[in-house]
């Protein structure tokens, strides 16, 4: 049996560690996708994705038996808060838009 560990939230440009667990040390591990992983064959690889990614941890044991589990890595994009806007109807900066703000559901903003 394999367990890919708890979901992970990291800031853009940072790394985290996937906290996989296996019950049998003889099980061969493969993570997919292998992109942004320090290794796709260790139980606890370092991960540095650039966007939200679901990783699958596969464990292969004796007799070709296989088990798998998934873990979601959420990448919080850095907020770039505009310091001005000009609602004059020219189509340029008419609205005060903060990209990726939806990734921060508990954000409290005061103006």
């Amino acid at each position: 049996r394999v367990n890919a560990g708890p979901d992970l939230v990291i800031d853009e440009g940072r790394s985290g560690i996937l906290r996989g667990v296996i019950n049998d040390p003889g099980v061969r591990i493969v993570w997919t996708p292998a992109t942004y992983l320090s290794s796709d064959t260790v139980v606890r690889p370092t991960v540095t994705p650039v966007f939200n990614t679901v990783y699958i941890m596969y464990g292969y044991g004796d007799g070709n038996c296989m088990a798998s589990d998934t873990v979601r890595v959420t990448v919080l994009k850095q907020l770039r808060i505009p310091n001005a806007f000009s609602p004059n109807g020219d189509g340029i900066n008419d609205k005060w838009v903060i990209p990726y703000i939806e990734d921060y559901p508990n954000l409290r903003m005061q103006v």
Side-chain angles (χ1 to χ4, degrees):
R1 179 173 165 161
V2 299
N3 180 335
D7 290 345
L8 182 62
V9 177
I10 60 174
D11 292 327
E12 180 180 34
R14 301 283 180 142
S15 296
I17 297 175
L18 298 182
R19 306 237 178 247
V21 177
I22 57 171
N23 294 334
D24 180 352
V27 170
R28 184 174 59 91
I29 298 299
V30 177
W31 289 92
T32 185
T35 52
Y36 309 112
L37 293 177
S38 60
S39 171
D40 64 345
T41 60
V42 298
V43 177
R44 294 186 171 200
T46 299
V47 60
T48 314
V50 295
F51 48 83
N52 298 344
T53 306
V54 175
Y55 289 95
I56 304 170
M57 178 186 184
Y58 292 97
Y60 298 95
D62 292 336
N64 284 335
C65 64
M66 187 270 298
S68 66
D69 192 27
T70 62
V71 61
R72 178 176 180 78
V73 179
T74 301
V75 178
L76 296 178
K77 299 290 187 181
Q78 293 181 3
L79 291 180
R80 291 171 183 85
I81 302 172
N83 60 4
F85 69 104
S86 59
N88 60 6
D90 67 356
I92 301 170
N93 298 321
D94 285 332
K95 295 179 181 179
W96 192 49
V97 177
I98 302 172
Y100 310 113
I101 197 167
E102 65 277 359
D103 290 346
Y104 296 84
N106 297 320
L107 181 71
R108 183 175 157 213
M109 185 174 303
Q110 287 183 289
V111 180

